[in-house]
Amino acid sequence: MHRTRSLVTGLLPLIPGAAPERLAVWLVKGYVQNSSARAPLAALNIRQYSAAPPPPSQAAAEPFLNGSSSVYVEEMYNSWLQDPKSVHASWDSFFRNASAGAAPGQAYQAPPSLAVPGRHEIPITALVPQMSMSGVSTGLPIDEKMIDDHLAVQAIIRSYQIRGHFGAFLDPIQIEGPKDLNERLKRETHLGKFLPEAEEKDMDRIFKLPATTYIGKPDERALPLREILSRLEAAYCRHIGVEFMFINSLEQCNWIRKRFETPGAMSLDAEGKRLLLARVTRAAGFEAFLARKWTSEKRFGLEGCEMLIPAMKTIIDKSSELGVESIIMGMPHRGRLNVLANVCRKPLEQIFAQFAGLEAADDGSGDVKYHLGTYIERLNRVTNKNIRLAVVANPSHLEAVDTIVQGKTRAEQFYKGDSEGKKTMSILLHGDAAFSGQGIVYETFTLSDLPDYTTRGTIHIVANNQIGFTTDPRHSRSSPYCTDVARVVNAPIFHVNADDPEAVMHVCKVAAEWRATFHKDVVVDLVSYRRGGHNEIDEPMFTQPLMYSKIRKMKSVMEKYSAKLIEEGTVTKEEVDDVRNKYEKICEEAYVKAQKETQIRYKDWLDSPWSGFFEGKNPLKMGNTGVIEETLKHIGKRFSSTPPNAAEFVVHKGIERILRARMEMVETRTVDWALGEAMAFGSLLKEGIHVRLSGQDVERGTFSHRHHVLHHQTSDKSTYKPLCNLYPDQAPYTVCNSSLSEFGVLGFELGYSMTNPNALVCWEAQFGDFFNTAQCIIDQFIASGQSKWVRQSGIVLLLPHGMEGMGPEHSSARPERFLHACSEDPETFPAETEEFAIRQLHDTNMIVANCSTPANYFHILRRQIAMPFRKPLIIFTPKSLLRHPEAKSSFDDMVETTGFKRVIPEAGIAASQPEAVRKVIFCSGKIYYELKKAREDRGLDSAVAITRIEQICPFPFDLIRDEINKYPNAELKWAQEEHKNMGVWSFVQPRFHTAMQGSSERRLSYVGRGVSASPATGSKRQHLKEAAQLLEDAFAGFPKEFSEKKQYEEEEEEE
Ligand SMILES: Cc1ncc(C[n+]2csc(CCOP(=O)(O)OP(=O)(O)O)c2C)c(N)n1
Ligand SMILES: [Mg+2]
């Protein structure tokens, strides 16, 4: 509360009296001061905003024309000047009287009320006797004063609702401010502060309660001011601070008001209190046990925020009661082991065994214990319903797991047909510093209400220990609260003092109900402290001496709450001891069991089990990727058509042309890139595989080549998706333009891909190089996820790539970055067996490819599903090749007998006379077409072979070796358009060496651009120069007769 408190203090000098005081007092004082000043309207300096003539001076002297009402009155007056009937009859009468010269104070006449009094409404006259009984003498007509007073009280109520949280007692350690904030606040609200002449009596005056509050019991329509203030303080200024009045839905605001203002809303029965105490005891007992057994082992203990555990359990109980069956959670290091033990009920011996440093029984490199995930299905004892809980494994990178959890949740909802999110939900846990500091949190929130990304409400819990490692909030954020980022999506934020267990329970229940009712995000901010250092080895006094001298004197929440319950007679001391001892015994027993363990199993910590997927499969046997011609034809035709039965669907002329061209290709048994992709997707859909393509502008495609969503040109929001209409029983196809985020959306799609192995989930970058804003997802999850967490994913990254003169960005998708993260050994030629290719795929961490033909693209997409396991696939996709006349494939390369080609060897004249070949140029991707043309131009077709490597990792050692051996007399070149320190060169170079099995006679050398700091030049001219030079260099070294021969042949042809 450091930062919040200083913000409030910062505001106080602006407030009359300067001393910190209750909002109500400040407001009422404002009224008193204004009314005593009685500034005439002309003096309020507001007319400069009005084009209307000034109101008559007599009217300006009316006593109620003060403060906030004056603007309103002036608006009324201006309207009345235009048309007297446009204002209420009472205003009409007032302005007529004032214009006619009525004396100040005499122009206003109260109109008779015609309305039937509703809830909170009582006839104003009914209050008059009480008002006069209070004996307050104002010297003004009683009804006018009363209106002002009522307006002031309404404003007080509203100000509590809006700003009451600033006065709430949220910080258990009271880093700043007077020791007893409650006492101070009481003193500040004393009657004398705003009505010095009749203090106590004014507090007893009765005020009608407006419809915007629920502080009245059912039969209470008016209350003494004292009671109003007291109830507002109970609702908004005790241990809960509610931020919600920024929400732009009246219904939602009222819903929240009701839950916090209704008298008795926060009370908990004895059974609830006992359960709560038991849960706090377990949370505290777990940390104490670990601290005792492993004194200096890092575990990122929860001490100081033990209430996180009962908070999560309450949310789970309530959500289960409201119909949720599966909860997917993401969380950082703090308290993670405790969550696994006490929320998920992961067997304690498995957790304790992690401390023993045992070897793993399964493959992989593993992860530290406070990053591991889990998946558990169990009975919720409170609701007696089954519940599935998953904690997603995460790296150290704080908050990076957020969108992965969201994607996984969304996928589970999708596959279960839970379109409203009633059965599956997510909970995200955060640290205070990370929540406000990490941009991915914002990216996660912005996905929360997008049709293809929403999870229908996430409950966020911040374990707000008011510190991030060694940094104070005042140095780690510029916002008053660490939770302010949630305001962007209108999520209510419940700050709660985590040393008040019952208050925590209340906000958690409300949060769960909110999610179930509105299906929107909500934040619970557990304001707490960190009893120790950042981890168990750190000394916090180095940097936070004051904070820690206070913390060291603090009793734990368990001690405080058990003392409270003993004192109020809810439990006995024996019961408290009993609960504690029982849990300790459970821990001891598990500890003994853990000691007998000899190995740990990473599989025990898997967050996304794919039951039934691996069972019964030969892990080295892959299905076919070719399909029958009939399927290609059918998909092609559908993909080239407008809605079959919608003659009125108006298609853009340009799209009509594209569709016609597609149809012509289908008729000639050819595909371009877009058609090849559609056939891959369509054929998988036919086989029951859900396909999801997500990313920026993917529906049309950045390069306007895809057009998976056709837009009716004369009817808004009327669209047609050909791939959703291929077969009556096909799987669903999802294509969705995403928010402009890479980190968030790639994380989301990765999470999506973890849920169902029988889905093809693709994320496309707008241009390939933009992936680097999502680098953390690639390094921490995609490249290493299986190794760390035995978790597989078949996600596909489509990264437009190619040096086409577009400048430093938009050119290279930086293949080197991905290749560097590949786990393949460059110096090992894998054993040559029949399963060479599939074993390589099985053993790699990622597949990296640059396909040069639509057919190969088609096959590699389909291979993702044909594989008996899942691996991430990174494809560098083309830009200019999308429309290149030669970059087309025949159906012949896609039918049943065909498959993906890891290498496309030279197939021209050179291949038929390999001994005569002088040079073999190996390359990958679009440069092939440029090299091919340059070779032809130079008449070198028989002298130079050009071979394409389509799958870069796993490296096709066997095929490359064969290709090299085929051309015994040729020099070997690697040509690439990326700079020498980029692209594929440094990856392939040692692998070629290995493929040549150490042959010292043959050497691969590089041809292409030199090294550079920037991926591409910004000058088109320079680009063309470099591109031309590259081709010159590639074909350098041939004697002149080669080109003369070519010239001779051409002349002969012309004749
Ligand atoms: C992206 C990232 N940057 C930096 C770190 C290093 N780091 C680990 S914990 C931590 C402090 C986190 O503070 P907070 O979010 O408040 O959580 P707490 O440790 O207080 O529970 C930091 C900076 C990290 N893990 N991840
Ligand atoms: Mg913190």
Side-chain angles (χ1 to χ4, degrees):
M1 292 296 96
H2 219 97
R3 158 103 22 213
T4 315
R5 188 71 59 216
S6 58
L7 183 111
V8 176
T9 322
L11 287 173
L12 289 173
L14 302 175
I15 299 168
E21 58 189 359
R22 298 305 274 167
L23 291 165
V25 176
W26 170 67
L27 240 142
V28 174
K29 268 175 61 183
Y31 159 71
V32 172
Q33 290 191 348
N34 278 343
S35 58
S36 58
R38 307 260 175 267
L41 193 59
L44 291 176
N45 203 20
I46 52 168
R47 292 188 60 255
Q48 57 183 307
Y49 303 110
S50 167
S57 56
Q58 296 93 325
E62 287 299 331
F64 60 91
L65 294 180
N66 61 64
S68 58
S69 56
S70 56
V71 178
Y72 172 65
V73 172
E74 192 185 44
E75 273 173 19
M76 286 290 146
Y77 177 70
N78 290 337
S79 304
W80 178 79
L81 281 178
Q82 309 259 325
D83 174 10
K85 289 205 190 80
S86 68
V87 300
H88 188 268
S90 61
W91 284 111
D92 182 29
S93 137
F94 168 73
F95 291 133
R96 272 178 215 284
N97 291 343
S99 304
Q106 301 304 308
Y108 173 75
Q109 285 170 15
S113 172
L114 299 176
V116 180
R119 181 180 143 72
H120 297 315
E121 282 180 28
I122 46 176
I124 216 153
T125 46
L127 296 170
V128 172
Q130 290 153 333
M131 194 70 188
S132 50
M133 270 165 58
S134 71
V136 180
S137 166
T138 61
L140 299 170
I142 192 108
D143 46 353
E144 291 164 22
K145 165 91 173 86
M146 206 160 62
I147 288 168
D148 272 349
D149 288 354
H150 270 78
L151 284 174
V153 171
Q154 280 205 25
I156 289 169
I157 294 171
R158 194 172 168 77
S159 74
Y160 267 92
Q161 293 166 340
I162 297 173
R163 298 160 53 79
H165 56 89
F166 282 128
F169 182 73
L170 298 178
D171 179 5
I173 47 173
Q174 278 297 291
I175 297 171
E176 280 190 357
K179 276 193 188 129
D180 191 343
L181 184 64
N182 258 342
E183 266 310 305
R184 183 170 70 86
L185 297 176
K186 264 189 209 146
R187 201 170 57 245
E188 298 299 342
T189 57
H190 194 264
L191 187 64
K193 289 276 176 189
F194 65 96
L195 271 181
E197 288 166 28
E199 300 170 349
E200 280 305 306
K201 287 173 189 163
D202 268 1
M203 286 299 268
D204 289 330
R205 281 167 56 195
I206 309 285
F207 286 89
K208 181 166 96 77
L209 297 175
T212 52
T213 187
Y214 294 87
I215 56 173
K217 293 178 187 155
D219 54 344
E220 289 172 338
R221 287 183 292 149
L223 284 175
L225 180 56
R226 186 191 310 283
E227 187 60 21
I228 291 176
L229 295 178
S230 143
R231 291 192 193 181
L232 288 170
E233 286 191 6
Y236 294 112
C237 304
R238 285 211 178 141
H239 290 150
I240 298 175
V242 195
E243 270 191 283
F244 70 107
M245 288 291 278
F246 54 82
I247 296 175
N248 51 23
S249 153
L250 184 61
E251 183 201 0
Q252 291 169 10
C253 284
N254 279 339
W255 189 94
I256 292 175
R257 285 193 260 243
K258 204 172 192 170
R259 269 141 194 93
F260 288 93
E261 294 181 0
T262 305
M266 302 193 200
S267 56
L268 192 63
D269 62 18
E271 196 189 333
K273 289 178 184 181
R274 273 196 295 274
L275 178 64
L276 180 49
L277 180 66
R279 286 176 169 180
V280 190
T281 307
R282 282 173 164 254
F286 179 79
E287 297 296 346
F289 187 81
L290 294 188
R292 230 181 15 257
K293 296 288 185 198
W294 295 279
T295 35
S296 54
E297 187 83 18
K298 268 198 217 169
R299 67 188 148 88
F300 296 101
L302 196 53
E303 293 97 330
C305 190
E306 291 92 338
M307 278 307 297
L308 177 69
I309 302 301
M312 291 178 76
K313 289 178 86 81
T314 304
I315 288 171
I316 293 168
D317 292 347
K318 192 77 203 169
S319 301
S320 159
E321 182 191 317
L322 295 168
V324 170
E325 295 167 358
S326 169
I327 299 183
I328 298 164
M329 294 174 270
M331 69 173 301
H333 51 287
R334 181 81 51 217
R336 190 184 186 101
L337 298 177
N338 211 325
V339 168
L340 297 183
N342 283 314
V343 177
C344 303
R345 295 285 176 97
K346 187 165 187 62
L348 286 174
E349 53 274 21
Q350 281 181 16
I351 298 176
F352 296 160
Q354 285 283 335
F355 284 85
L358 301 175
E359 289 219 350
D362 33 21
D363 288 343
S365 53
D367 200 349
V368 291
K369 49 191 166 297
Y370 39 84
H371 287 167
L372 299 171
T374 200
Y375 172 88
I376 273 178
E377 193 160 352
R378 66 175 177 83
L379 188 74
N380 180 297
R381 293 198 195 142
V382 173
T383 57
N384 222 17
K385 291 180 181 176
N386 259 343
I387 186 117
R388 284 185 301 280
L389 301 173
V391 176
V392 175
N394 64 282
S396 248
H397 292 58
L398 293 166
E399 305 289 351
V401 78
D402 293 1
T403 52
I404 287 157
V405 170
Q406 301 299 70
K408 188 164 153 57
T409 307
R410 169 74 188 201
E412 199 170 307
Q413 290 173 348
F414 181 81
Y415 295 121
K416 282 190 189 145
D418 180 18
S419 58
E420 290 171 55
K422 289 187 172 165
K423 296 201 179 336
T424 301
M425 65 175 272
S426 56
I427 299 179
L428 288 177
L429 271 57
H430 316 267
D432 53 314
F435 198 51
S436 61
Q438 292 291 318
I440 187 65
V441 176
Y442 173 81
E443 294 189 28
T444 308
F445 274 110
T446 55
L447 292 178
S448 68
D449 220 9
L450 304 182
D452 289 299
Y453 301 84
T454 177
T455 53
R456 284 93 187 174
T458 296
I459 301 185
H460 300 263
I461 308 177
V462 186
N464 177 0
N465 52 20
Q466 309 185 75
I467 192 165
F469 207 153
T470 66
T471 306
D472 289 340
R474 66 190 152 183
H475 293 119
S476 73
R477 64 173 189 260
S478 297
S479 54
Y481 293 108
C482 61
T483 51
D484 285 354
V485 60
R487 294 169 70 114
V488 293
V489 294
N490 277 268
I493 300 161
F494 305 142
H495 308 282
V496 58
N497 185 324
D499 261 11
D500 180 345
E502 290 175 22
V504 174
M505 285 311 92
H506 183 66
V507 297
C508 290
K509 278 182 198 151
V510 175
E513 283 172 8
W514 165 272
R515 196 253 162 211
T517 309
F518 298 110
H519 289 283
K520 283 182 45 155
D521 284 24
V522 52
V523 179
V524 173
D525 177 21
L526 290 178
V527 187
S528 52
Y529 58 94
R530 191 186 71 195
R531 186 166 287 281
H534 174 60
N535 59 50
E536 287 57 39
I537 308 150
D538 269 347
E539 168 54 85
M541 288 293 273
F542 286 157
T543 49
Q544 271 75 26
L546 180 70
M547 186 182 193
Y548 274 85
S549 56
K550 283 187 174 188
I551 289 174
R552 284 184 181 165
K553 289 181 208 136
M554 301 250 321
K555 284 191 174 162
S556 75
V557 66
M558 186 192 76
E559 286 174 277
K560 283 198 262 187
Y561 193 54
S562 49
K564 177 178 178 270
L565 293 196
I566 292 169
E567 194 185 313
E568 70 182 35
T570 310
V571 292
T572 62
K573 182 163 182 324
E574 290 66 43
E575 278 176 88
V576 171
D577 293 343
D578 189 42
V579 173
R580 195 175 43 228
N581 295 339
K582 269 193 185 139
Y583 187 65
E584 216 173 295
K585 193 159 167 265
I586 292 172
C587 289
E588 281 295 350
E589 283 166 9
Y591 180 74
V592 173
K593 269 198 209 164
Q595 303 242 295
K596 291 183 191 144
E597 296 279 343
T598 52
Q599 282 185 314
I600 51 166
R601 286 166 298 275
Y602 296 138
K603 281 204 174 74
D604 290 343
W605 300 81
L606 188 59
D607 55 27
S608 319
W610 290 339
S611 53
F613 176 67
F614 298 105
E615 286 81 5
K617 274 199 183 111
N618 178 347
L620 297 178
K621 181 137 182 58
M622 183 151 57
N624 279 348
T625 54
V627 299
I628 56 167
E629 180 147 350
E630 186 48 40
T631 303
L632 299 177
K633 263 197 218 152
H634 178 84
I635 297 168
K637 282 186 183 159
R638 282 288 170 124
F639 187 55
S640 312
S641 307
T642 50
N645 302 315
E648 76 282 2
F649 192 94
V650 184
V651 179
H652 189 279
K653 291 275 173 260
I655 300 284
E656 274 179 4
R657 271 196 304 277
I658 291 172
L659 296 181
R660 263 200 311 276
R662 277 179 187 167
M663 196 63 97
E664 277 167 24
M665 278 192 282
V666 176
E667 277 154 12
T668 54
R669 304 180 65 253
T670 328
V671 296
D672 66 0
W673 212 268
L675 198 47
E677 179 185 79
M679 286 180 176
F681 289 179
S683 54
L684 290 172
L685 295 169
K686 178 174 185 278
E687 292 160 21
I689 301 296
H690 171 225
V691 178
R692 178 177 163 102
L693 172 63
S694 152
Q696 290 153 35
D697 306 295
V698 295
E699 293 178 5
R700 187 201 74 172
T702 300
F703 312 102
S704 202
H705 68 291
R706 183 174 283 129
H707 299 289
H708 282 191
V709 181
L710 308 185
H711 292 259
H712 193 314
Q713 296 294 300
T714 56
S715 167
D716 191 29
K717 299 193 185 91
S718 177
T719 57
Y720 173 67
K721 297 177 186 162
L723 291 183
C724 294
N725 292 278
L726 299 174
Y727 299 94
D729 54 352
Q730 69 171 78
Y733 175 56
T734 311
V735 57
C736 41
N737 289 346
S738 74
S739 69
L740 211 170
S741 142
E742 286 81 23
F743 193 177
V745 177
L746 177 56
F748 188 97
E749 300 310 334
L750 178 70
Y752 207 107
S753 76
M754 282 154 45
T755 304
N756 176 8
N758 293 315
L760 183 74
V761 180
C762 309
W763 174 76
E764 183 173 71
Q766 185 114 81
F767 283 91
D769 46 356
F770 294 124
F771 82 80
N772 62 8
T773 69
Q775 190 70 57
C776 172
I777 299 295
I778 292 156
D779 291 344
Q780 265 59 43
F781 294 89
I782 294 179
S784 54
Q786 183 177 354
S787 179
K788 293 193 287 191
W789 309 313
V790 291
R791 183 172 69 200
Q792 300 191 8
S793 159
I795 191 166
V796 178
L797 271 61
L798 303 174
L799 306 177
H801 169 77
M803 307 282 277
E804 292 169 5
M806 295 178 82
E809 286 77 47
H810 303 104
S811 292
S812 173
R814 313 300 296 257
E816 67 279 7
R817 293 276 172 83
F818 292 92
L819 293 169
H820 204 230
C822 288
S823 60
E824 183 186 75
D825 182 356
E827 289 164 8
T828 304
F829 198 127
E832 281 195 270
T833 60
E834 249 180 51
E835 294 102 10
F836 185 88
I838 181 103
R839 187 177 287 283
Q840 272 195 313
L841 291 171
H842 178 271
D843 293 348
T844 191
N845 60 336
M846 303 196 273
I847 306 165
V848 178
N850 191 352
C851 301
S852 64
T853 68
N856 233 13
Y857 179 46
F858 164 87
H859 284 295
I860 202 168
L861 288 174
R862 287 184 47 81
R863 195 181 72 173
Q864 279 302 93
I865 298 300
M867 290 188 301
F869 42 79
R870 294 289 173 257
K871 295 285 165 173
L873 166 65
I874 319 297
I875 314 185
F876 301 103
T877 56
K879 296 177 288 177
S880 60
L881 286 199
L882 296 172
R883 295 183 173 80
H884 195 291
E886 280 196 52
K888 290 195 174 150
S889 299
S890 158
F891 280 10
D892 292 342
D893 292 326
M894 299 160 74
V895 290
E896 278 167 300
T897 48
T898 61
F900 175 71
K901 293 178 177 152
R902 292 178 287 147
V903 168
I904 305 185
E906 169 64 53
I909 314 170
S912 56
Q913 308 154 4
E915 278 85 11
V917 169
R918 308 274 296 274
K919 187 187 274 192
V920 186
I921 303 178
F922 291 92
C923 64
S924 189
K926 114 172 190 302
I927 197 172
Y928 166 74
Y929 293 95
E930 284 148 32
L931 289 167
K932 184 166 172 269
K933 177 158 188 317
R935 177 178 66 177
E936 201 181 319
D937 290 347
R938 288 164 173 78
L940 297 173
D941 285 2
S942 52
V944 181
I946 308 176
T947 287
R948 290 166 267 178
I949 302 190
E950 303 276 300
Q951 177 178 289
I952 304 159
C953 180
F955 188 75
F957 290 96
D958 52 340
L959 302 179
I960 293 298
R961 188 252 342 260
D962 296 349
E963 199 62 2
I964 292 170
N965 290 345
K966 183 172 174 184
Y967 303 98
N969 304 317
E971 67 171 317
L972 308 174
K973 289 278 176 193
W974 175 261
Q976 67 174 34
E977 48 178 8
E978 302 86 1
H979 286 275
K980 194 175 183 182
N981 54 329
M982 299 170 194
V984 174
W985 168 237
S986 57
F987 185 83
V988 296
Q989 189 187 23
R991 286 168 176 79
F992 265 81
H993 189 71
T994 305
M996 290 185 259
Q997 288 157 326
S999 156
S1000 55
E1001 285 151 39
R1002 312 202 63 186
R1003 207 176 74 84
L1004 180 77
S1005 60
Y1006 173 84
V1007 58
R1009 290 173 167 88
V1011 295
S1012 169
S1014 168
T1017 171
S1019 148
K1020 187 90 184 174
R1021 199 188 155 90
Q1022 175 67 15
H1023 164 76
L1024 293 172
K1025 214 170 123 191
E1026 288 172 5
Q1029 187 61 48
L1030 192 163
L1031 297 175
E1032 276 306 308
D1033 295 347
F1035 295 100
F1038 284 97
K1040 217 166 155 221
E1041 74 241 30
F1042 276 97
S1043 45
E1044 276 171 3
K1045 189 168 162 246
K1046 165 82 180 163
Q1047 204 179 347
Y1048 171 74
E1049 280 168 7
E1050 275 172 8
E1051 279 166 9
E1052 244 186 0
E1053 267 170 35
E1054 273 165 29
E1055 283 165 15

